[in-house]
PDB file of all heavy atoms in Angstrom:
ATOM      1  N   GLY A1260     127.526 146.112  64.228  1.00  0.00           N
ATOM      2  CA  GLY A1260     127.183 146.380  65.616  1.00  0.00           C
ATOM      3  C   GLY A1260     125.958 145.613  66.043  1.00  0.00           C
ATOM      4  O   GLY A1260     125.464 144.734  65.334  1.00  0.00           O
ATOM      5  N   GLU A1261     125.446 145.960  67.227  1.00  0.00           N
ATOM      6  CA  GLU A1261     124.308 145.270  67.813  1.00  0.00           C
ATOM      7  C   GLU A1261     123.295 146.269  68.346  1.00  0.00           C
ATOM      8  O   GLU A1261     123.659 147.345  68.826  1.00  0.00           O
ATOM      9  CB  GLU A1261     124.749 144.350  68.967  1.00  0.00           C
ATOM     10  CG  GLU A1261     125.665 143.218  68.550  1.00  0.00           C
ATOM     11  CD  GLU A1261     126.114 142.391  69.751  1.00  0.00           C
ATOM     12  OE1 GLU A1261     125.860 142.840  70.891  1.00  0.00           O
ATOM     13  OE2 GLU A1261     126.712 141.327  69.540  1.00  0.00           O
ATOM     14  N   ILE A1262     122.034 145.888  68.239  1.00  0.00           N
ATOM     15  CA  ILE A1262     120.937 146.634  68.862  1.00  0.00           C
ATOM     16  C   ILE A1262     120.224 145.659  69.786  1.00  0.00           C
ATOM     17  O   ILE A1262     119.771 144.604  69.344  1.00  0.00           O
ATOM     18  CB  ILE A1262     119.965 147.188  67.801  1.00  0.00           C
ATOM     19  CG1 ILE A1262     120.681 148.149  66.856  1.00  0.00           C
ATOM     20  CG2 ILE A1262     118.794 147.879  68.473  1.00  0.00           C
ATOM     21  CD1 ILE A1262     119.827 148.629  65.709  1.00  0.00           C
ATOM     22  N   LEU A1263     120.148 146.007  71.069  1.00  0.00           N
ATOM     23  CA  LEU A1263     119.531 145.132  72.062  1.00  0.00           C
ATOM     24  C   LEU A1263     118.212 145.727  72.504  1.00  0.00           C
ATOM     25  O   LEU A1263     118.159 146.874  72.963  1.00  0.00           O
ATOM     26  CB  LEU A1263     120.454 144.943  73.269  1.00  0.00           C
ATOM     27  CG  LEU A1263     119.856 144.160  74.446  1.00  0.00           C
ATOM     28  CD1 LEU A1263     119.516 142.733  74.032  1.00  0.00           C
ATOM     29  CD2 LEU A1263     120.802 144.166  75.638  1.00  0.00           C
ATOM     30  N   LEU A1264     117.138 144.942  72.373  1.00  0.00           N
ATOM     31  CA  LEU A1264     115.814 145.348  72.828  1.00  0.00           C
ATOM     32  C   LEU A1264     115.488 144.480  74.032  1.00  0.00           C
ATOM     33  O   LEU A1264     115.346 143.266  73.906  1.00  0.00           O
ATOM     34  CB  LEU A1264     114.788 145.162  71.713  1.00  0.00           C
ATOM     35  CG  LEU A1264     113.476 145.937  71.814  1.00  0.00           C
ATOM     36  CD1 LEU A1264     112.775 145.979  70.464  1.00  0.00           C
ATOM     37  CD2 LEU A1264     112.544 145.346  72.855  1.00  0.00           C
ATOM     38  N   SER A1265     115.373 145.099  75.203  1.00  0.00           N
ATOM     39  CA  SER A1265     115.164 144.333  76.433  1.00  0.00           C
ATOM     40  C   SER A1265     114.044 144.967  77.249  1.00  0.00           C
ATOM     41  O   SER A1265     113.614 146.096  76.992  1.00  0.00           O
ATOM     42  CB  SER A1265     116.456 144.291  77.264  1.00  0.00           C
ATOM     43  OG  SER A1265     116.852 145.598  77.630  1.00  0.00           O
ATOM     44  N   SER A1266     113.581 144.218  78.242  1.00  0.00           N
ATOM     45  CA  SER A1266     112.518 144.718  79.121  1.00  0.00           C
ATOM     46  C   SER A1266     112.731 144.182  80.519  1.00  0.00           C
ATOM     47  O   SER A1266     113.390 143.157  80.723  1.00  0.00           O
ATOM     48  CB  SER A1266     111.147 144.282  78.585  1.00  0.00           C
ATOM     49  OG  SER A1266     110.979 142.891  78.753  1.00  0.00           O
ATOM     50  N   SER A1267     112.135 144.884  81.480  1.00  0.00           N
ATOM     51  CA  SER A1267     112.165 144.428  82.875  1.00  0.00           C
ATOM     52  C   SER A1267     110.969 145.022  83.597  1.00  0.00           C
ATOM     53  O   SER A1267     110.537 146.142  83.302  1.00  0.00           O
ATOM     54  CB  SER A1267     113.466 144.851  83.563  1.00  0.00           C
ATOM     55  OG  SER A1267     113.598 146.259  83.550  1.00  0.00           O
ATOM     56  N   ALA A1268     110.406 144.246  84.501  1.00  0.00           N
ATOM     57  CA  ALA A1268     109.263 144.718  85.294  1.00  0.00           C
ATOM     58  C   ALA A1268     109.776 145.528  86.476  1.00  0.00           C
ATOM     59  O   ALA A1268     110.604 145.059  87.263  1.00  0.00           O
ATOM     60  CB  ALA A1268     108.431 143.541  85.768  1.00  0.00           C
ATOM     61  N   VAL A1269     109.292 146.758  86.597  1.00  0.00           N
ATOM     62  CA  VAL A1269     109.666 147.609  87.743  1.00  0.00           C
ATOM     63  C   VAL A1269     108.787 147.269  88.932  1.00  0.00           C
ATOM     64  O   VAL A1269     109.249 147.194  90.070  1.00  0.00           O
ATOM     65  CB  VAL A1269     109.535 149.096  87.356  1.00  0.00           C
ATOM     66  CG1 VAL A1269     109.863 149.986  88.554  1.00  0.00           C
ATOM     67  CG2 VAL A1269     110.433 149.424  86.182  1.00  0.00           C
ATOM     68  N   SER A1270     107.520 147.073  88.685  1.00  0.00           N
ATOM     69  CA  SER A1270     106.558 146.673  89.708  1.00  0.00           C
ATOM     70  C   SER A1270     105.422 145.950  89.010  1.00  0.00           C
ATOM     71  O   SER A1270     105.494 145.676  87.813  1.00  0.00           O
ATOM     72  CB  SER A1270     106.032 147.897  90.467  1.00  0.00           C
ATOM     73  OG  SER A1270     105.287 148.741  89.596  1.00  0.00           O
ATOM     74  N   GLN A1271     104.369 145.650  89.755  1.00  0.00           N
ATOM     75  CA  GLN A1271     103.224 144.987  89.138  1.00  0.00           C
ATOM     76  C   GLN A1271     102.504 145.899  88.167  1.00  0.00           C
ATOM     77  O   GLN A1271     101.794 145.433  87.277  1.00  0.00           O
ATOM     78  CB  GLN A1271     102.236 144.528  90.223  1.00  0.00           C
ATOM     79  CG  GLN A1271     102.764 143.396  91.097  1.00  0.00           C
ATOM     80  CD  GLN A1271     101.727 142.916  92.099  1.00  0.00           C
ATOM     81  OE1 GLN A1271     100.679 143.554  92.278  1.00  0.00           O
ATOM     82  NE2 GLN A1271     102.012 141.799  92.752  1.00  0.00           N
ATOM     83  N   ASP A1272     102.715 147.197  88.314  1.00  0.00           N
ATOM     84  CA  ASP A1272     101.957 148.170  87.517  1.00  0.00           C
ATOM     85  C   ASP A1272     102.786 148.867  86.463  1.00  0.00           C
ATOM     86  O   ASP A1272     102.221 149.632  85.656  1.00  0.00           O
ATOM     87  CB  ASP A1272     101.324 149.226  88.436  1.00  0.00           C
ATOM     88  CG  ASP A1272     100.403 148.606  89.471  1.00  0.00           C
ATOM     89  OD1 ASP A1272      99.696 147.643  89.121  1.00  0.00           O
ATOM     90  OD2 ASP A1272     100.398 149.088  90.629  1.00  0.00           O
ATOM     91  N   SER A1273     104.087 148.674  86.447  1.00  0.00           N
ATOM     92  CA  SER A1273     104.916 149.413  85.485  1.00  0.00           C
ATOM     93  C   SER A1273     106.083 148.544  85.008  1.00  0.00           C
ATOM     94  O   SER A1273     106.447 147.558  85.650  1.00  0.00           O
ATOM     95  CB  SER A1273     105.441 150.703  86.103  1.00  0.00           C
ATOM     96  OG  SER A1273     106.301 150.418  87.203  1.00  0.00           O
ATOM     97  N   LEU A1274     106.642 148.951  83.881  1.00  0.00           N
ATOM     98  CA  LEU A1274     107.783 148.235  83.310  1.00  0.00           C
ATOM     99  C   LEU A1274     108.665 149.213  82.560  1.00  0.00           C
ATOM    100  O   LEU A1274     108.267 150.345  82.268  1.00  0.00           O
ATOM    101  CB  LEU A1274     107.321 147.126  82.363  1.00  0.00           C
ATOM    102  CG  LEU A1274     106.691 147.578  81.040  1.00  0.00           C
ATOM    103  CD1 LEU A1274     107.073 146.624  79.927  1.00  0.00           C
ATOM    104  CD2 LEU A1274     105.182 147.670  81.162  1.00  0.00           C
ATOM    105  N   THR A1275     109.879 148.726  82.227  1.00  0.00           N
ATOM    106  CA  THR A1275     110.839 149.524  81.462  1.00  0.00           C
ATOM    107  C   THR A1275     111.242 148.736  80.218  1.00  0.00           C
ATOM    108  O   THR A1275     111.538 147.547  80.300  1.00  0.00           O
ATOM    109  CB  THR A1275     112.092 149.842  82.295  1.00  0.00           C
ATOM    110  OG1 THR A1275     111.714 150.606  83.433  1.00  0.00           O
ATOM    111  CG2 THR A1275     113.107 150.629  81.473  1.00  0.00           C
ATOM    112  N   ILE A1276     111.225 149.406  79.085  1.00  0.00           N
ATOM    113  CA  ILE A1276     111.699 148.831  77.819  1.00  0.00           C
ATOM    114  C   ILE A1276     112.901 149.640  77.369  1.00  0.00           C
ATOM    115  O   ILE A1276     112.851 150.868  77.316  1.00  0.00           O
ATOM    116  CB  ILE A1276     110.607 148.852  76.734  1.00  0.00           C
ATOM    117  CG1 ILE A1276     109.386 148.049  77.191  1.00  0.00           C
ATOM    118  CG2 ILE A1276     111.146 148.294  75.422  1.00  0.00           C
ATOM    119  CD1 ILE A1276     108.221 148.103  76.215  1.00  0.00           C
ATOM    120  N   ARG A1277     113.999 148.960  77.070  1.00  0.00           N
ATOM    121  CA  ARG A1277     115.233 149.633  76.658  1.00  0.00           C
ATOM    122  C   ARG A1277     115.607 149.210  75.234  1.00  0.00           C
ATOM    123  O   ARG A1277     115.542 148.035  74.902  1.00  0.00           O
ATOM    124  CB  ARG A1277     116.381 149.301  77.605  1.00  0.00           C
ATOM    125  CG  ARG A1277     116.231 149.893  79.002  1.00  0.00           C
ATOM    126  CD  ARG A1277     117.436 149.552  79.875  1.00  0.00           C
ATOM    127  NE  ARG A1277     117.386 150.236  81.147  1.00  0.00           N
ATOM    128  CZ  ARG A1277     116.711 149.809  82.212  1.00  0.00           C
ATOM    129  NH1 ARG A1277     116.045 148.653  82.136  1.00  0.00           N
ATOM    130  NH2 ARG A1277     116.704 150.503  83.322  1.00  0.00           N
ATOM    131  N   VAL A1278     116.026 150.186  74.457  1.00  0.00           N
ATOM    132  CA  VAL A1278     116.602 149.938  73.134  1.00  0.00           C
ATOM    133  C   VAL A1278     118.008 150.516  73.159  1.00  0.00           C
ATOM    134  O   VAL A1278     118.197 151.741  73.165  1.00  0.00           O
ATOM    135  CB  VAL A1278     115.757 150.586  72.011  1.00  0.00           C
ATOM    136  CG1 VAL A1278     116.410 150.320  70.659  1.00  0.00           C
ATOM    137  CG2 VAL A1278     114.331 150.061  72.029  1.00  0.00           C
ATOM    138  N   ARG A1279     119.009 149.627  73.219  1.00  0.00           N
ATOM    139  CA  ARG A1279     120.391 150.062  73.382  1.00  0.00           C
ATOM    140  C   ARG A1279     121.231 149.592  72.196  1.00  0.00           C
ATOM    141  O   ARG A1279     121.090 148.465  71.732  1.00  0.00           O
ATOM    142  CB  ARG A1279     120.980 149.498  74.677  1.00  0.00           C
ATOM    143  CG  ARG A1279     122.383 150.023  74.980  1.00  0.00           C
ATOM    144  CD  ARG A1279     122.887 149.606  76.347  1.00  0.00           C
ATOM    145  NE  ARG A1279     123.191 148.185  76.418  1.00  0.00           N
ATOM    146  CZ  ARG A1279     122.504 147.311  77.138  1.00  0.00           C
ATOM    147  NH1 ARG A1279     121.453 147.716  77.846  1.00  0.00           N
ATOM    148  NH2 ARG A1279     122.834 146.030  77.151  1.00  0.00           N
ATOM    149  N   ASP A1280     122.092 150.471  71.684  1.00  0.00           N
ATOM    150  CA  ASP A1280     123.004 150.098  70.606  1.00  0.00           C
ATOM    151  C   ASP A1280     124.434 150.429  71.013  1.00  0.00           C
ATOM    152  O   ASP A1280     124.666 151.198  71.951  1.00  0.00           O
ATOM    153  CB  ASP A1280     122.638 150.834  69.302  1.00  0.00           C
ATOM    154  CG  ASP A1280     122.826 152.333  69.400  1.00  0.00           C
ATOM    155  OD1 ASP A1280     123.990 152.798  69.451  1.00  0.00           O
ATOM    156  OD2 ASP A1280     121.807 153.075  69.407  1.00  0.00           O
ATOM    157  N   ASN A1281     125.389 149.825  70.315  1.00  0.00           N
ATOM    158  CA  ASN A1281     126.810 150.102  70.575  1.00  0.00           C
ATOM    159  C   ASN A1281     127.421 150.868  69.413  1.00  0.00           C
ATOM    160  O   ASN A1281     128.565 150.648  69.036  1.00  0.00           O
ATOM    161  CB  ASN A1281     127.573 148.799  70.829  1.00  0.00           C
ATOM    162  CG  ASN A1281     127.492 147.836  69.650  1.00  0.00           C
ATOM    163  OD1 ASN A1281     126.753 148.084  68.696  1.00  0.00           O
ATOM    164  ND2 ASN A1281     128.231 146.735  69.710  1.00  0.00           N
ATOM    165  N   GLY A1282     126.595 151.770  68.868  1.00  0.00           N
ATOM    166  CA  GLY A1282     127.028 152.516  67.695  1.00  0.00           C
ATOM    167  C   GLY A1282     127.787 153.786  68.031  1.00  0.00           C
ATOM    168  O   GLY A1282     128.466 153.901  69.064  1.00  0.00           O
ATOM    169  N   SER A1283     127.636 154.801  67.153  1.00  0.00           N
ATOM    170  CA  SER A1283     128.468 156.012  67.232  1.00  0.00           C
ATOM    171  C   SER A1283     128.038 156.987  68.310  1.00  0.00           C
ATOM    172  O   SER A1283     128.774 157.920  68.652  1.00  0.00           O
ATOM    173  CB  SER A1283     128.440 156.731  65.873  1.00  0.00           C
ATOM    174  OG  SER A1283     127.105 157.066  65.524  1.00  0.00           O
ATOM    175  N   GLY A1284     126.817 156.808  68.874  1.00  0.00           N
ATOM    176  CA  GLY A1284     126.369 157.734  69.906  1.00  0.00           C
ATOM    177  C   GLY A1284     125.856 159.048  69.329  1.00  0.00           C
ATOM    178  O   GLY A1284     125.833 159.266  68.116  1.00  0.00           O
ATOM    179  N   ILE A1285     125.431 159.947  70.238  1.00  0.00           N
ATOM    180  CA  ILE A1285     124.845 161.224  69.829  1.00  0.00           C
ATOM    181  C   ILE A1285     125.704 162.357  70.398  1.00  0.00           C
ATOM    182  O   ILE A1285     126.084 162.334  71.583  1.00  0.00           O
ATOM    183  CB  ILE A1285     123.398 161.352  70.331  1.00  0.00           C
ATOM    184  CG1 ILE A1285     122.556 160.174  69.791  1.00  0.00           C
ATOM    185  CG2 ILE A1285     122.782 162.685  69.915  1.00  0.00           C
ATOM    186  CD1 ILE A1285     121.142 160.146  70.341  1.00  0.00           C
ATOM    187  N   GLU A1286     125.977 163.321  69.555  1.00  0.00           N
ATOM    188  CA  GLU A1286     126.772 164.471  70.011  1.00  0.00           C
ATOM    189  C   GLU A1286     125.993 165.253  71.074  1.00  0.00           C
ATOM    190  O   GLU A1286     124.758 165.362  71.000  1.00  0.00           O
ATOM    191  CB  GLU A1286     127.083 165.387  68.830  1.00  0.00           C
ATOM    192  CG  GLU A1286     127.959 164.759  67.755  1.00  0.00           C
ATOM    193  CD  GLU A1286     129.364 164.499  68.260  1.00  0.00           C
ATOM    194  OE1 GLU A1286     129.795 165.155  69.244  1.00  0.00           O
ATOM    195  OE2 GLU A1286     130.038 163.635  67.672  1.00  0.00           O
ATOM    196  N   PRO A1287     126.685 165.827  72.066  1.00  0.00           N
ATOM    197  CA  PRO A1287     125.994 166.544  73.170  1.00  0.00           C
ATOM    198  C   PRO A1287     125.094 167.686  72.691  1.00  0.00           C
ATOM    199  O   PRO A1287     124.017 167.907  73.268  1.00  0.00           O
ATOM    200  CB  PRO A1287     127.160 167.061  74.021  1.00  0.00           C
ATOM    201  CG  PRO A1287     128.286 166.123  73.731  1.00  0.00           C
ATOM    202  CD  PRO A1287     128.131 165.733  72.298  1.00  0.00           C
ATOM    203  N   HIS A1288     125.500 168.424  71.664  1.00  0.00           N
ATOM    204  CA  HIS A1288     124.686 169.558  71.215  1.00  0.00           C
ATOM    205  C   HIS A1288     123.440 169.110  70.445  1.00  0.00           C
ATOM    206  O   HIS A1288     122.524 169.906  70.242  1.00  0.00           O
ATOM    207  CB  HIS A1288     125.524 170.483  70.326  1.00  0.00           C
ATOM    208  CG  HIS A1288     125.902 169.869  69.005  1.00  0.00           C
ATOM    209  ND1 HIS A1288     126.974 168.997  68.863  1.00  0.00           N
ATOM    210  CD2 HIS A1288     125.330 169.971  67.781  1.00  0.00           C
ATOM    211  CE1 HIS A1288     127.055 168.613  67.601  1.00  0.00           C
ATOM    212  NE2 HIS A1288     126.075 169.193  66.917  1.00  0.00           N
ATOM    213  N   VAL A1289     123.399 167.832  70.044  1.00  0.00           N
ATOM    214  CA  VAL A1289     122.241 167.306  69.313  1.00  0.00           C
ATOM    215  C   VAL A1289     121.209 166.727  70.275  1.00  0.00           C
ATOM    216  O   VAL A1289     120.000 166.804  70.033  1.00  0.00           O
ATOM    217  CB  VAL A1289     122.689 166.235  68.298  1.00  0.00           C
ATOM    218  CG1 VAL A1289     121.487 165.563  67.635  1.00  0.00           C
ATOM    219  CG2 VAL A1289     123.591 166.858  67.248  1.00  0.00           C
TER     220      VAL A1289
END
Side-chain angles (χ1 to χ4, degrees):
E1261 296 177 350
I1262 299 174
L1263 174 63
L1264 200 163
S1265 61
S1266 70
S1267 60
V1269 178
S1270 65
Q1271 291 183 349
D1272 302 322
S1273 63
L1274 70 144
T1275 299
I1276 300 176
R1277 291 182 173 84
V1278 179
R1279 186 172 71 248
D1280 65 71
N1281 59 353
S1283 58
I1285 302 175
E1286 296 293 338
H1288 68 279
V1289 174

